[in-house]
Amino acid sequence: MSVTIYAPASMGNVGVGFDLLGGALAPIDGSLLGDKVTVESAEQGLTLSVTGRWAAKLPVNQADNIVYQCAVFFLEHVEQNAGLKLTLEKNLPVGSGLGSSASSVVAALMALNEYFGQPFTEQQVLKLMGDFEGKISGSVHYDNVAPCFLGGMQLMLETPQVICESIPTFKQWYWVVAYPGISLSTARMRALMPEHYNKQTTIDFGRYLSAFVHASYKQDSQLAISVLKDVLAEPYRAAEIPNYQQAKSALDALGMLTTGISGSGPTLFTVTDNADIAQAAKHWLDEHYIDPKSGFSHICKIDELGARRV
């Protein structure tokens, strides 16, 4: 038996919703932007092989790879000692702001759950994903794993009953994402943010996020764009991302509706409802923001499917 799961790239925060909002990404050219994990039976033991564009950036020792660690974590929870062969196709760069670790974790844990006949419900698997992400990042936050797993735009609720809920998306929007080709430590980028915020900033954060969710349900795209602002992270992170400020100004001049940092960067996202402007933005980013040897850009829609068997 063999199970292969694809888990899409994701934008954490989506600018306006620090740690509380995330969206899955689907390139409009039909390509798959995300990691794949295959689980197969083996006579004994646990082995991992790694392929894909970014395989060389991962630890050589399989025990240090998060997909291998996911399998150990999962097998402990199901109290199994089965022989397994794992294959990770690593298609997202580490430290990119595109939910690279979340993609690997989601693909691995969903593949294992499918392989063993779904011993865990969807919400239970999501909880396992969040718990594991928390182990490797130092704190539990679902804004990458939830959209990667479930698709769409996910709002984190984290009540005793439910972890997250999807909110309506703007189907007419194009999300252009550009990874410049450098890696930034999520822990370092989080450390740039202050321990405390003034009262007005916290009021603005709550106002913008609630207004964005309200606009999503009303399908008022003009209101949504007007409040798609990051007052918590971007003011402290922008200077650490080379050429981000210049790119933001240039994209504004091209007619893009808004631009922000995907996750903790260095990938940026920029939004428009015009296909021609999206193409112009991608062309500018390819020429001026990304290293053609190690970076990339895609014009995307929100991936409504999330992780799935392929």
Side-chain angles (χ1 to χ4, degrees):
M1 181 182 175
S2 173
V3 174
T4 300
I5 298 293
Y6 161 73
S10 56
M11 301 175 290
N13 306 335
V14 199
V16 71
F18 184 79
D19 278 2
L20 298 176
L21 196 64
L25 293 167
I28 62 171
D29 64 6
S31 60
L32 296 180
L33 180 62
D35 294 348
K36 294 179 188 174
V37 170
T38 299
V39 178
E40 301 171 89
S41 60
E43 286 190 11
Q44 60 182 7
L46 186 62
T47 62
L48 171 69
S49 59
V50 183
T51 65
R53 178 178 176 183
W54 305 97
K57 300 292 186 181
L58 299 181
V60 174
N61 184 349
Q62 67 174 10
D64 295 327
N65 189 292
I66 60 173
V67 167
Y68 183 92
Q69 294 169 3
C70 273
V72 173
F73 178 74
F74 185 90
L75 291 172
E76 287 172 352
H77 279 77
V78 293
E79 299 179 352
Q80 291 269 2
N81 194 24
L84 294 175
K85 177 187 174 187
L86 307 172
T87 304
L88 165 63
E89 185 180 312
K90 190 63 189 169
N91 299 317
L92 289 176
V94 176
S96 59
L98 286 168
S100 175
S101 65
S103 180
S104 291
V105 169
V106 168
L109 289 176
M110 182 174 170
L112 288 158
N113 196 53
E114 294 282 316
Y115 179 88
F116 284 101
Q118 299 181 331
F120 299 109
T121 66
E122 184 176 84
Q123 284 289 305
Q124 288 171 332
V125 175
L126 180 56
K127 177 75 165 50
L128 287 177
M129 292 168 178
D131 289 346
F132 187 84
E133 265 275 271
K135 282 178 61 176
I136 61 175
S137 68
S139 60
V140 177
H141 41 93
Y142 288 90
D143 56 323
N144 283 117
V145 293
C148 178
F149 181 39
L150 302 172
M153 189 77 71
Q154 296 289 333
L155 179 66
M156 306 313 126
L157 304 179
E158 295 188 53
T159 69
Q161 292 77 33
V162 63
I163 292 170
C164 62
E165 289 279 4
S166 63
I167 65 173
T169 58
F170 295 94
K171 310 293 188 196
Q172 71 272 33
W173 284 4
Y174 296 92
W175 301 78
V176 185
V177 294
Y179 167 63
I182 61 170
S183 292
L184 295 175
S185 159
T186 300
R188 175 171 161 260
M189 295 302 279
R190 290 182 83 88
L192 293 172
M193 298 169 61
E195 286 290 318
H196 304 284
Y197 290 88
N198 65 44
K199 182 167 66 174
Q200 188 57 53
T201 301
T202 58
I203 291 169
D204 287 345
F205 170 70
R207 178 160 56 92
Y208 293 147
L209 178 55
S210 58
F212 181 80
V213 173
H214 172 68
S216 297
Y217 278 95
K218 281 187 68 181
Q219 285 294 285
D220 185 339
S221 60
Q222 187 174 0
L223 173 59
I225 286 294
S226 73
V227 296
L228 192 50
K229 302 174 184 179
D230 181 357
V231 297
L232 293 188
E234 185 173 319
Y236 305 95
R237 291 174 168 174
E240 293 293 310
I241 303 173
N243 301 319
Y244 172 74
Q245 298 283 29
Q246 298 94 311
K248 188 168 183 174
S249 297
L251 292 164
D252 182 62
L254 283 172
M256 297 301 288
L257 300 174
T258 192
T259 299
I261 301 169
S262 178
S264 56
T267 294
L268 65 73
F269 70 83
T270 186
V271 182
T272 181
D273 55 9
N274 183 296
D276 292 336
I277 295 176
Q279 289 288 351
K282 183 182 187 304
H283 178 74
W284 189 93
L285 290 161
D286 288 345
E287 292 290 318
H288 302 285
Y289 190 66
I290 72 169
D291 179 342
K293 296 192 184 85
S294 54
F296 56 79
S297 67
H298 290 280
I299 301 173
C300 298
K301 296 281 193 169
I302 296 297
D303 185 328
E304 302 291 350
L305 299 175
R308 62 256 194 196
R309 291 183 75 151
V310 291

